[in-house]
Amino acid sequence: QVQLVESGGGLVQPGGSLSLSCAASRSIFSINFMGWYRQAPGKQRELVAGITSGGITNYAHSVKGRFTISTDNAKNTVYLQMNSLKPEDTAVYYCNAKNGISSLYDYWGQGTQVTVSS
């Protein structure tokens, strides 16, 4: 019933910036957490950044100080601003929306490719 549509991926040079967005097809009142995950070839999926309904954020150690997660509740959208990109940031990025208490609510975007290369 709920779809998450991601956009903003692409090819950038090391040190460059990129902004990802993820829009929900409708307002999801049952959701209290939204986050961005990534998966690189040969590696497991990892949480990059997350934000709770209360505005509390958390980041993977590897992206702290470089990435920023934010939401626009009026637009049912979550963003990931990525600065000072490194080749090791190359991965498919997925947005996720869930309820931290009930596993009945867990939605995923289709994924968007981010490639950092010179």
Side-chain angles (χ1 to χ4, degrees):
Q1 295 298 108
V2 177
Q3 295 183 159
L4 302 180
V5 181
E6 302 173 0
S7 63
L11 173 64
V12 296
Q13 295 185 352
S17 298
L18 202 61
S19 182
L20 306 181
S21 64
C22 175
S25 58
R26 65 175 177 83
S27 180
I28 316 171
F29 64 87
S30 59
I31 296 302
N32 57 24
F33 174 88
M34 297 193 75
W36 288 92
Y37 293 77
R38 69 185 180 188
Q39 186 167 20
K43 298 183 178 180
Q44 293 192 326
R45 180 191 65 182
E46 66 171 338
L47 176 66
V48 177
I51 184 169
T52 70
S53 59
I56 305 300
T57 60
N58 66 286
Y59 299 90
H61 184 267
S62 61
V63 307
K64 286 183 178 179
R66 300 189 297 119
F67 291 11
T68 302
I69 187 171
S70 62
T71 59
D72 185 336
N73 295 137
K75 298 180 180 179
N76 301 318
T77 302
V78 61
Y79 305 92
L80 184 66
Q81 178 64 46
M82 304 183 291
N83 299 321
S84 302
L85 285 163
K86 305 175 181 180
E88 50 262 45
D89 294 319
T90 296
V92 176
Y93 285 69
Y94 301 88
C95 70
N96 170 249
K98 69 177 68 175
N99 185 294
I101 299 175
S102 175
S103 61
L104 294 176
Y105 310 102
D106 191 3
Y107 308 100
W108 291 89
Q110 80 283 0
T112 184
Q113 178 71 47
V114 172
T115 302
V116 185
S117 177
S118 60

